[in-house]
């Protein structure tokens, strides 16, 4: 009997925050094909829904995401009718792990990871693709691919050097050692570490604060920062000027300026 993706990825929207929760605790939330597709769809819905102004990605149980669970996935070598031919693996990665990470990076709302436990393989990359990361004290981050004789996927070789530099990224990927939450914070992989019992409340406080912010300005700020790591100075400055031009036409920008002039707290509506 096939599990219902809506049971394996819980979703709710509260106070303008979309909560996306992986819910396969018995498998340490190893992500299936169906789960991945639902998370991608929920992130796309968050981008398009003006009532959603921030997103939290988290999980139930002791694990955040133990990696990919490819059993039963369409087109996977070894599955029924899954004899591998040239191009199959590259296509599976492009349409699978890479789409998941891209959905986080391209979401037009700030995405916060609340990492409750082990984040390994694509699970680590799912967390690190988020804009902000809060980790519970028991959380660990593991570049597990080398343990299986594999090359990192899901954008790992893109994300890690941008967070910790190339030398440290290679150390993490070459050895595959578990990085405890406190060490992850020291390295710059994590914004804050909290006690396990405080994780949800801290994530809620941060997300709801983001949800009260100037949503379009945050979206363009996210885009500028992400793009700055890939382009040169001229391209970055040109993108900044264009973003400013677009953002100055939003209601929130007008409210921000007016509140400054009138010496009051701004009330942003995400428009």
């Amino acid at each position: 009997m096939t599990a219902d993706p809506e049971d394996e990825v819980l979703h709710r929207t509260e106070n303008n925050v979309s909560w996306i929760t992986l819910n396969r605790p018995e498998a340490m939330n190893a992500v299936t094909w169906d789960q991945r597709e639902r998370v991608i769809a929920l992130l796309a819905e968050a981008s398009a829904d003006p009532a959603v102004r921030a997103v939290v990605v988290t999980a139930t149980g002791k694990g955040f995401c133990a990696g990919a669970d490819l059993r039963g996935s369409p087109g996977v070598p070894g599955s029924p009718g899954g004899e591998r031919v040239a191009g199959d693996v590259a296509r599976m990665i492009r349409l699978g792990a890479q789409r998941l990470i891209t959905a986080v990076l391209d979401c037009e709302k700030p995405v916060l990871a609340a990492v409750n436990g082990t984040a390994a393989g694509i699970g680590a990359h799912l967390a690190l693709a988020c804009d902000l990361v809060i980790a519970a004290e028991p959380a660990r981050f593991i570049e597990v691919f080398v343990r299986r004789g594999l090359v990192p996927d899901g954008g790992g070789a893109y994300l890690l050097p941008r967070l910790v530099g190339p030398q440290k990224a290679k150390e993490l990927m070459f050895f595959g050692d578990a990085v405890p939450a406190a060490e992850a914070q020291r390295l710059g992989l994590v914004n804050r570490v909290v006690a396990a019992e405080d994780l949800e409340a801290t994530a809620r406080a941060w997300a709801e604060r983001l949800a009260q912010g100037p949503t379009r300005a945050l979206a363009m700020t996210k885009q500028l920062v992400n793009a700055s790591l890939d382009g040169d100075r001229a391209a970055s400055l040109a993108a900044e000027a264009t973003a400013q031009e677009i953002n100055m036409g939003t209601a929130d920008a007008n409210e921000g300026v007016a509140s400054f002039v009138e010496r009051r707290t701004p009330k942003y509506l995400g428009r």
Side-chain angles (χ1 to χ4, degrees), residues 5 7-10 20-33 35-36 39 57-71 100 114-124 126:
D7 292 333
E8 296 192 338
V9 180
L10 307 177
I20 299 173
T21 304
L22 301 178
N23 186 40
R24 294 182 70 225
E26 72 285 354
M28 294 287 284
N29 292 303
V31 67
T32 65
W33 188 91
Q35 283 180 298
R36 186 192 70 218
V39 171
V57 178
T58 190
T60 59
K62 296 182 178 180
F64 176 75
C65 177
D69 184 345
L70 298 178
R71 289 171 294 184
L100 176 61
V115 182
N116 53 302
T118 297
I122 187 62
L126 174 61

Side-chain angles (χ1 to χ4, degrees), residues 173-249:
M173 291 179 165
F174 287 0
F175 293 116
D177 294 334
V179 180
E183 175 69 2
Q185 183 179 29
R186 189 187 70 80
L187 292 174
L189 297 173
V190 167
N191 294 90
R192 182 175 293 184
V193 176
V194 298
E197 60 269 24
D198 296 331
L199 180 66
E200 183 174 345
T202 305
R204 180 180 294 107
W206 278 34
E208 291 184 0
R209 182 177 175 187
L210 290 168
Q212 296 303 308
T215 308
R216 298 313 305 163
L218 292 177
M220 282 184 273
T221 301
K222 171 178 178 171
Q223 185 178 40
L224 285 172
V225 172
N226 287 350
S228 75
L229 299 171
D230 301 326
D232 58 24
R233 182 180 64 182
S236 182
L237 293 179
E240 175 185 276
T242 300
Q244 290 283 11
E245 178 73 26
I246 295 169
N247 188 64
M248 286 305 292

Side-chain angles (χ1 to χ4, degrees), residues 28-210:
M28 294 287 284
N29 292 303
V31 67
T32 65
W33 188 91
D34 285 336
Q35 283 180 298
R36 186 192 70 218
E37 293 304 304
R38 178 156 161 78
V39 171
I40 291 171
L42 289 170
L43 289 166
E45 290 173 13
S47 287
D49 187 352
V52 173
R53 297 171 62 186
V55 178
V56 175
V57 178
T58 190
T60 59
K62 296 182 178 180
F64 176 75
C65 177
D69 184 345
L70 298 178
R71 289 171 294 184
S73 300
V76 175
S79 64
E83 181 181 354
R84 189 173 73 195
V85 298
D88 279 352
V89 174
R91 187 181 314 107
M92 179 179 69
I93 296 299
R94 286 197 307 271
L95 298 179
Q98 291 179 357
R99 281 180 56 244
L100 176 61
I101 299 307
T102 299
V104 177
L105 293 171
D106 290 346
C107 182
E108 295 176 36
K109 310 297 165 66
V111 183
L112 187 155
V115 182
N116 53 302
T118 297
I122 187 62
H125 300 165
L126 174 61
L128 300 179
C130 293
D131 303 304
L132 299 170
V133 182
I134 301 173
E137 290 172 349
R140 303 183 305 158
F141 298 81
I142 311 173
E143 288 295 322
V144 74
F145 302 94
V146 70
R147 299 184 184 183
R148 310 288 181 259
L150 301 175
V151 172
D153 64 23
Y158 174 88
L159 294 167
L160 262 292
R162 286 162 171 77
L163 292 167
V164 300
Q167 301 303 113
K168 193 65 182 182
K170 284 182 275 191
E171 178 187 334
L172 296 177
M173 291 179 165
F174 287 0
F175 293 116
D177 294 334
V179 180
E183 175 69 2
Q185 183 179 29
R186 189 187 70 80
L187 292 174
L189 297 173
V190 167
N191 294 90
R192 182 175 293 184
V193 176
V194 298
E197 60 269 24
D198 296 331
L199 180 66
E200 183 174 345
T202 305
R204 180 180 294 107
W206 278 34
E208 291 184 0
R209 182 177 175 187
L210 290 168

